[in-house]
Amino acid sequence: MQLRFAYANTGEEYVKRKGWQQATLSRCPLHAQGGCRFARHGTYARVSPPGTLITRYYCPDGHRTFSLLPDCYAARLSGQLSEVEAVVRAVEQAPSQAAACAGLRLDIELPGVQRFVTRRVQAVQAALVVIKGLVPERFGACVPTLLAFALMLGVPEVLVALRGIAESWLQELPRPLGFCPRPRPGGGRDRARQHRAGADPPGLLA
Ligand SMILES: [Zn+2]
């Protein structure tokens, strides 16, 4: 499962400073009382930015892998939350999603761009709606847009800030903000997937 690594900088800085070396878990999330064989379990690579490694732990007694995802990275999606935020903000500010798609310089064909944009917009909006309900005293009056949340929080980048604000609910919040696997139509969920060695699961929101 993915866990939050509180990190205030960008992915580029994380790579430059080898941030994965500072990412540590003091105890097993499954066995708070200790006594299990919980230990570091190497790293896995993410594609972007190049050079990114993510720290992993493994509890052989609970048969569970834990990876420490820095706040700047999108969950179960390539790249950083700032890139997701830029796409969604472009749509929020454009007269239509089609106009926003035309203006985005993405290295894919237009039907692919529409799909790429729609999934990001829907995923972010779904997360903002859930957070409005979870923290109504702060966000209850906001419409579920990044612009409205940015004004409320007084921060330039909302998604990275929400990793900290919504820390207690990250396992339930939809990716790429939260760590929940893709919700299924009808309300069910995929079973949480174990992290394997190798790249971050590719193309899940591509
Ligand atoms: Zn354990």
Side-chain angles (χ1 to χ4, degrees):
M1 70 187 296
Q2 277 184 322
L3 299 173
R4 177 183 179 228
F5 173 38
Y7 188 74
N9 236 310
T10 64
E12 287 77 7
E13 197 67 17
Y14 175 81
V15 171
K16 196 170 136 195
R17 295 178 185 275
K18 295 186 167 59
W20 51 92
Q21 293 177 347
Q22 278 80 55
T24 53
L25 265 182
S26 55
R27 61 186 178 186
C28 179
L30 299 180
H31 306 103
Q33 75 283 5
C36 65
R37 292 171 289 162
F38 175 74
R40 275 183 99 96
H41 192 57
T43 56
Y44 72 91
R46 284 180 58 115
V47 174
S48 174
T52 298
L53 295 177
I54 303 295
T55 294
R56 288 187 307 184
Y57 282 79
Y58 180 59
C59 174
D61 303 290
H63 306 288
R64 187 72 71 91
T65 305
F66 306 93
S67 60
L68 291 174
L69 190 69
D71 285 343
C72 50
Y73 287 91
R76 299 173 179 275
L77 174 69
S78 185
Q80 300 182 55
L81 281 177
S82 59
E83 297 165 54
V84 176
E85 178 138 353
V87 168
V88 177
R89 292 268 202 149
V91 173
E92 287 181 2
Q93 288 159 28
S96 68
Q97 184 167 314
C101 290
L104 286 169
R105 291 172 169 271
L106 296 170
D107 191 23
I108 40 181
E109 302 288 325
L110 190 59
V113 174
Q114 299 270 15
R115 190 164 152 261
F116 177 101
V117 169
T118 299
R119 290 192 172 179
R120 280 160 177 75
V121 168
Q122 288 179 347
V124 167
Q125 194 178 38
L128 296 182
V129 167
V130 174
I131 290 171
K132 272 168 60 78
L134 291 169
V135 198
E137 65 281 8
R138 237 170 145 179
F139 303 113
C142 293
V143 292
T145 64
L146 290 175
L147 177 62
F149 274 60
L151 292 172
M152 169 58 68
L153 291 170
V155 296
E157 296 215 359
V158 172
L159 295 177
V160 169
L162 288 177
R163 276 275 169 83
I165 292 166
E167 180 167 19
S168 310
W169 304 290
L170 288 175
Q171 299 304 330
E172 287 79 40
L173 281 167
R175 68 206 170 90
L177 172 65
F179 304 148
C180 187
R182 185 202 306 257
R184 277 186 183 156
R189 286 176 185 164
D190 290 347
R191 289 177 56 205
R193 271 172 273 202
Q194 286 288 95
H195 279 285
R196 288 168 297 171
D200 203 41
L204 290 174
L205 258 185

